[in-house]
Amino acid sequence: MSAADGILVEKAKKGDHKAFEVLVRKYQGRVASVIARTVSDRSRVQDLTQEAFIKAYRALPGFRGESAFYTWLYRIAVNTAKNWALSADRGVPISDMALEDADRVASQLHDHNTPERHLLRGELIAALNEAIAGLATVMREAIELRDIQGKSYEEIAAIMECPIGTVRSRIFRGRQEIVDRMSGYMKSGQPLGPAP
Amino acid sequence: MTCNHELISAFLDGELEPIIVAPVTGHLLKCDSCCRKLSELAQVQSAMRERCLLPDPEGLTRSVMLAITNEKTLGNPGVAAHRVQQGSGSVRAPEMEGPSGPRTRAKE
Ligand SMILES: [Zn+2]
């Protein structure tokens, strides 16, 4: 587990709500992405993301740090989405179904739904692609190596033949430029326009 | 420490140098501006990975935190009806699901 997550989890366990809020901010987009693989409705994704974090908060005292915090949270998100899909599609009371069955059945029901179609409308994808395309090559390359290929800063530094500090700066400036270019869609505290 | 959004981006990636992990984390706990920056940068991160954006991240954070605060105040069990109540009535952690638990693997 990352050292920062460890600090935040320990504080949250002791009742520090702000520490849990930072974890929510850090991971809510990724949790929503996981849920959107199973659930197609945008507002439902938001509700279930909220539900997953509330479950995580309640289960936190039992989290012993044997896996990374995100791995643990990821499992809660997958189960939240699958249980919802099962109850919605089959009218089966969740408590009556073993989680492994939920896993099997729900994957047959829903995995063909792509988040792209539902969460991020065509115009948003276009804006995102345009924002990415508009970045300086070094920034785009650094961000893609990090976010798409999952490379560490150290690996990126080796690939791009530059210091790690430069990698960190390129990734930050690239992300910030995307935020700026997409400000119409990504304003803090603002919904992303009317529901589809 | 003062606001440094580049360090917030590195925090998001789990790439802070060990010596600055505690100061940056401590700063985030006190600074609303850096917290909002964290949400913005995290949105770009998940958009890059999954081409997926939350409609209202700030609203979501607020609802989660409100639900947790209300629960503490009211002692309301609320959501999470499943996966609870084993013996002592404590909430089960996902690691305790048993050998055949969820098969999907987190990509991290
Ligand atoms: Zn700050």
Side-chain angles (χ1 to χ4, degrees), chain B residues 3 27 31 34:
Chain B
C3 298
H27 178 82
C31 179
C34 285

Side-chain angles (χ1 to χ4, degrees), chain B residues 8 10 27 33-34 43 46 51-52 57 61 66 68 70 73 79 86 90 106:
Chain B
I8 301 303
H27 178 82
S33 148
C34 285
Q43 255 199 301
S46 52
R51 292 293 192 267
C52 174
T61 306
L66 192 67
I68 286 168
N70 285 344
T73 317
V79 217
Q86 286 267 319
S90 63

Side-chain angles (χ1 to χ4, degrees), chain B residues 1-5 8 27-28 30-35:
Chain B
M1 66 171 276
T2 53
C3 298
N4 182 332
H5 293 164
I8 301 303
H27 178 82
L28 265 168
K30 290 181 296 190
C31 179
D32 287 340
S33 148
C34 285
C35 272

Side-chain angles (χ1 to χ4, degrees), chain A:
Chain A
M1 169 154 61
S2 94
D5 285 2
I7 293 173
L8 292 167
V9 165
E10 283 314 308
K11 283 181 181 292
K13 276 182 168 182
K14 288 176 187 149
D16 184 338
H17 284 192
K18 189 72 183 173
F20 192 73
E21 182 191 318
V22 172
L23 290 166
V24 172
R25 289 178 179 276
K26 184 176 181 185
Y27 291 119
Q28 63 187 2
R30 289 169 70 183
V31 167
S33 303
V34 169
I35 290 171
R37 288 179 205 153
T38 303
V39 178
S40 53
D41 178 66
R42 270 178 76 199
S43 62
R44 182 67 61 193
V45 169
Q46 180 123 349
D47 290 348
L48 291 171
T49 303
Q50 177 179 337
E51 191 183 321
F53 275 108
I54 294 169
K55 283 178 187 166
Y57 184 78
R58 291 194 183 125
L60 207 54
F63 174 62
R64 307 259 173 262
E66 284 142 4
S67 61
F69 175 74
Y70 178 70
T71 307
W72 179 80
L73 183 62
Y74 176 94
R75 289 191 206 123
I76 294 177
V78 167
N79 288 331
T80 301
K82 290 185 171 174
N83 285 330
W84 179 83
L86 281 169
S87 62
D89 289 354
R90 311 175 86 220
V92 177
I94 293 310
S95 52
D96 291 351
M97 183 171 285
L99 279 167
E100 48 268 40
D101 291 337
D103 224 21
R104 179 175 45 75
V105 178
S107 66
Q108 291 162 5
L109 289 172
H110 278 285
D111 278 354
H112 49 274
N113 282 326
T114 65
E116 196 158 317
R117 223 182 319 151
H118 308 291
L119 256 202
L120 187 53
R121 289 162 293 157
E123 105 189 70
L124 285 172
I125 296 177
L128 178 65
N129 287 340
E130 199 177 309
I132 296 166
L135 295 177
T137 310
V138 287
M139 289 191 220
R140 188 173 65 239
E141 201 182 324
I143 289 187
E144 286 177 350
L145 285 166
R146 174 67 211 172
D147 288 338
I148 297 171
Q149 299 192 39
K151 304 276 187 212
S152 68
Y153 283 13
E154 196 178 353
E155 291 169 319
I156 298 169
I159 292 166
M160 298 186 78
E161 298 178 323
C162 67
I164 288 182
T166 307
V167 171
R168 188 177 83 182
S169 158
R170 284 174 180 168
I171 290 174
F172 164 65
R173 284 184 298 134
R175 284 176 177 158
Q176 184 58 57
E177 255 190 69
I178 295 174
V179 169
D180 294 342
R181 284 165 199 250
M182 294 193 66
S183 59
Y185 301 99
M186 300 181 59
K187 262 199 186 89
S188 297
Q190 298 269 327
L192 292 176

